[in-house]
């Protein structure tokens, strides 16, 4: 009958680390290997759970960023003209759920509705500076992002952008009739 012998191995010793609790005593060194028959024995040891420091755990989401100060952004923008800055500051006075018209804005600014529309088309601060709250006379949507409600000769019109404009106004509480005109009186309380 053949006898199995264990191969030569290096004994393992447990060294406590900063992650292991002090309650676990070090394991005594195992006896040196011998040429005795190999006996199969199993021992079960439980290791402590890997604990993380409290500072490593972040259960709360980061605080939200404060909203931008659009008045400062408008005033410090090098690419906007003085007239555009006046238009954008007036837009900030229109409360959510309200709308005004190009004509009312231009009357307040002693300008033309077309000049107001051109300034709105270039608005770099949208939707924070709410150019979507400006409608054409008769409370129809007019234009948005440089597109108008009519289809152009090449078939590309402002249909998609006008849907976006209407959706922004609806989210703010503006209601529309079956012909797409905003219901209510345009805002006139500019400061």
């Amino acid at each position: 009958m053949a006898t199995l012998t264990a191969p030569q191995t290096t004994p393992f010793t447990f060294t406590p680390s900063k992650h292991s609790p002090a309650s676990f005593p070090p394991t005594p060194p195992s006896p040196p290997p011998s040429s005795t028959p190999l006996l199969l024995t199993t021992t079960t040891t439980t290791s402590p759970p890997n604990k993380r420091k409290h500072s490593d755990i972040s259960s709360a989401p980061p605080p939200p960023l404060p909203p931008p100060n659009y008045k400062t952004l408008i005033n410090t923008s090098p690419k906007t003209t003085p007239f555009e800055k006046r238009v954008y500051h007036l837009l900030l006075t229109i409360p959510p759920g309200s709308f005004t018209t190009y004509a009312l804005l231009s009357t307040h600014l002693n300008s033309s509705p077309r000049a107001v529309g051109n300034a709105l088309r270039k608005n770099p601060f949208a939707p924070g500076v709410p150019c979507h709250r400006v409608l054409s006379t008769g409370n129809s949507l007019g234009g948005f992002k440089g597109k108008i409600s009519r289809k152009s000769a090449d078939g590309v019109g402002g249909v998609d952008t006008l849907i976006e404009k209407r959706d922004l106004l609806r989210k703010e509480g503006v209601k529309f009739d079956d012909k797409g005109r905003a219901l209510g009186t345009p805002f006139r309380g500019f400061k």
Side-chain angles (χ1 to χ4, degrees):
M1 175 149 103
T3 307
L4 294 174
T5 57
Q8 292 287 353
T9 60
T10 308
F12 173 78
T13 57
F14 177 78
T15 308
S17 69
K18 66 177 183 176
H19 298 293
S20 62
S23 62
F24 286 100
T27 307
S30 51
S34 64
S35 299
T36 57
L38 179 64
L39 300 173
L40 299 177
T41 59
T42 53
T43 57
T44 320
T45 57
T46 57
S47 59
N50 189 5
K51 293 184 179 181
R52 296 186 344 192
K53 295 179 184 178
H54 180 68
S55 61
D56 294 342
I57 302 170
S58 174
S59 60
L65 295 174
N69 184 342
Y70 288 107
K71 289 181 181 183
T72 303
L73 288 174
I74 293 167
N75 290 334
T76 59
S77 174
K79 295 183 178 183
T80 56
T81 66
F83 175 74
E84 291 169 348
K85 290 178 182 183
R86 288 177 54 210
V87 172
Y88 301 154
H89 280 293
L90 276 182
L91 292 177
L92 292 174
T93 65
I94 305 169
S98 299
F99 61 90
T100 192
T101 65
Y102 298 100
L104 290 171
L105 273 175
S106 64
T107 300
H108 186 79
L109 293 167
N110 294 323
S111 180
S112 71
R114 184 169 298 230
V116 170
N118 285 333
L120 297 181
R121 180 174 50 86
K122 297 176 188 176
N123 181 5
F125 310 109
V129 177
C131 55
H132 62 276
R133 295 181 188 154
V134 183
L135 306 177
S136 62
T137 304
N139 297 355
S140 63
L141 290 173
F144 191 54
K145 294 184 178 179
K147 309 273 188 190
I148 56 173
S149 60
R150 300 187 295 274
K151 288 220 176 207
S152 57
D154 62 358
V156 178
V159 176
D160 291 338
T161 58
L162 291 179
I163 291 170
E164 182 183 354
K165 181 176 186 174
R166 185 187 62 225
D167 289 346
L168 285 169
L169 289 167
R170 279 187 175 158
K171 285 179 186 174
E172 293 180 353
V174 177
K175 298 190 185 308
F176 292 87
D177 66 11
D178 56 349
K179 294 182 181 176
R181 291 184 301 236
L183 300 173
T185 305
F187 178 79
R188 297 167 194 259
F190 302 112
K191 296 177 183 174

